[in-house]
Amino acid sequence: MKRFFVFVFAVVLINNISYPQMIGKLKGNNGEFKDEKKIDINTTELVEPIKSDWESPKNLFLIDGYNRSIIIRADARYDRSDGLNEEEMNWVNNIDSLQWWVLPVEGITKKVKVKQNLIYSKKICGEYANFYATELDYDPKDISLACLGYPPKSWFKKGPKCIISLDEATQLINDNLQTEFQNINNKIVITETTAGWDGYVNWCCPKEDNPLYKNVDEMSIIEYRIPVSVSAQSKVTIGDAKAYIFGVEESMQPSIKRDIDGDGILEVYWTGCQNFWTHINKKFVSNVGDCCGC
C-alpha cells in the first residue's frame, strides 16, 4: 500500500506540472499498465508549432538530472524486481529518430545527440519512482529548455542583452544600497533585458530588534528581499526591504528572460528545488525537481 501511495504521489506531482507525455494508467495496486492503455513510447511524431496562448506545448522539456541531461518522458512500473519487461527493453534498445534541440543558458539553440534511452529511477519525497527517460549528450548545467523536434524560430536568435554588463549592474546596485543593507552575505538576483536589469537583493539579515525581523519555524524559509533595477542608462532604483516567508517548495528565483515562441513577450525561467518556465505568470513546462528536500 505504501508503494502505491508513493507512485500515485509521483504521478499527481508530474500532472500538476503539466508533463505532456506522462501517459498510461495504473491497474490495481501493482503499478502495471492496463493492456488497452499502454503508453506509446516507440511512436513519435512532429508536434504542432508552439502557439502564443501556451496551451500545453507538447514538445518542450526540462532536465531532471544534476550531472546528466536526463529528460523524463513517461512514468514506468514501480516494481521492476523481475527485470525489464518487453516494452521497457524495446524502449532502452531504440533511440528516437526525431531531432532534439536545446536552448542554452546563453546563445542560440543547438542540435544535440541522444546518448541513450533508459528506465530512470528518481527519489521523490523519500521513495524511488521509475520513468521512461532520454539522456541527451549535452552539459545539463547549460540547458534552459529542450525541444523534441524542430524548435521555434526565436530559439535561433540571441537572448536580450543590455549595454550594461552583469558585473557593472551588480556594482551599481552595491554602490547605491543604503549602509544598513550592505552586507557581504547579500545575494543579488537580477535578470537581463535590453532595457536593463531587474530583480532583488537577497539581504542577510536584520537583528531580532529590527521591525523587519520575522521568526519562522523549521518548516519555512525566510528571505529578506530588496527590489532593485538598473536601466540601460545606468539609473538605479532601490525599493523597500520586505520579508518573504516560503515553504521549501516556493523559494524560486528568476534566472533568464527570453522570448520562447517569438510573440515578443519574454518568458521567465525560474530555478530552485524545481525548475520551470512561465508565460505571463502561467507555468507551462516544469521538471519534477526535489521540493521535498529529500
Side-chain angles (χ1 to χ4, degrees):
M1 185 65 182
K2 180 180 179 182
R3 287 182 172 180
F4 180 69
F5 173 80
V6 172
F7 191 85
V8 170
F9 174 81
V11 174
V12 170
L13 172 63
I14 294 167
N15 286 336
N16 283 342
I17 60 175
S18 300
Y19 248 106
Q21 295 187 332
M22 295 300 168
I23 49 181
K25 302 293 183 180
L26 292 174
K27 180 181 180 182
N29 290 358
N30 58 8
E32 294 181 354
F33 293 108
K34 291 181 180 180
D35 291 339
E36 68 275 18
K37 292 293 186 179
K38 277 191 175 182
I39 59 175
D40 189 6
I41 55 176
N42 293 316
T43 302
T44 50
E45 58 185 17
L46 289 175
V47 183
E48 290 296 321
I50 301 171
K51 299 178 181 179
S52 59
D53 57 10
W54 291 99
E55 286 298 325
S56 301
K58 296 182 179 181
N59 56 345
L60 300 183
F61 299 84
L62 284 178
I63 299 301
D64 256 294
Y66 293 104
N67 301 312
R68 302 160 65 191
S69 295
I70 300 292
I71 291 175
I72 289 177
R73 305 286 297 279
D75 48 305
R77 291 181 301 150
Y78 182 86
D79 186 1
R80 292 191 293 117
S81 58
D82 58 344
L84 300 182
N85 62 23
E86 181 179 358
E87 185 177 62
E88 292 161 345
M89 286 297 297
N90 287 337
W91 172 253
V92 170
N93 292 328
N94 291 281
I95 296 177
D96 292 339
S97 59
L98 280 184
Q99 305 170 356
W100 279 94
W101 296 73
V102 299
L103 187 63
V105 174
E106 292 186 3
I108 64 173
T109 187
K110 297 180 180 179
K111 187 178 179 181
V112 297
K113 295 181 179 179
V114 174
K115 270 192 173 182
Q116 62 174 330
N117 281 341
L118 69 158
I119 303 299
Y120 178 65
S121 295
K122 182 177 177 65
K123 197 172 186 180
I124 299 178
C125 291
E127 295 285 350
Y128 281 93
N130 299 315
F131 303 94
Y132 290 93
T134 297
E135 182 179 4
L136 303 181
D137 188 13
Y138 197 80
D139 181 2
K141 298 180 180 62
D142 192 37
I143 299 178
S144 68
L145 198 54
C147 183
L148 177 58
Y150 202 74
K153 292 181 179 179
S154 59
W155 287 33
F156 293 88
K157 299 178 181 178
K158 293 182 178 180
K161 299 294 291 183
C162 182
I163 60 174
I164 296 177
S165 69
L166 174 60
D167 289 341
E168 290 176 287
T170 300
Q171 188 61 54
L172 284 168
I173 291 169
N174 281 323
D175 291 345
N176 283 271
L177 281 176
Q178 297 178 30
T179 303
E180 64 179 305
F181 296 123
Q182 293 178 355
N183 191 318
I184 60 172
N185 293 320
N186 286 347
K187 179 180 179 181
I188 297 179
V189 180
I190 51 178
T191 52
E192 184 179 17
T193 67
T194 54
W197 297 81
D198 68 273
Y200 57 87
V201 174
N202 199 338
W203 170 55
C204 184
C205 306
K207 296 180 179 179
E208 292 190 18
D209 60 353
N210 190 315
L212 274 174
Y213 179 82
K214 300 291 183 183
N215 189 25
V216 298
D217 58 39
E218 61 183 12
M219 299 301 293
S220 302
I221 292 176
I222 186 165
E223 294 183 2
Y224 298 92
R225 296 181 175 182
I226 305 169
V228 295
S229 65
V230 179
S231 74
Q233 293 74 39
S234 300
K235 179 183 178 181
V236 180
T237 302
I238 308 290
D240 296 327
K242 183 178 178 182
Y244 292 83
I245 299 175
F246 303 103
V248 174
E249 74 283 356
E250 295 183 4
S251 183
M252 312 296 177
Q253 67 181 44
S255 298
I256 302 171
K257 291 182 179 178
R258 290 197 68 159
D259 183 1
I260 296 302
D261 68 341
D263 64 357
I265 297 174
L266 296 181
E267 281 70 46
V268 183
Y269 181 45
W270 299 79
T271 58
C273 61
Q274 181 189 58
N275 298 341
F276 56 88
W277 280 86
T278 58
H279 173 83
I280 315 180
N281 299 320
K282 178 183 178 181
K283 186 188 297 186
F284 63 89
V285 63
S286 306
N287 65 4
V288 175
D290 184 21
C291 287
C292 292
C294 302

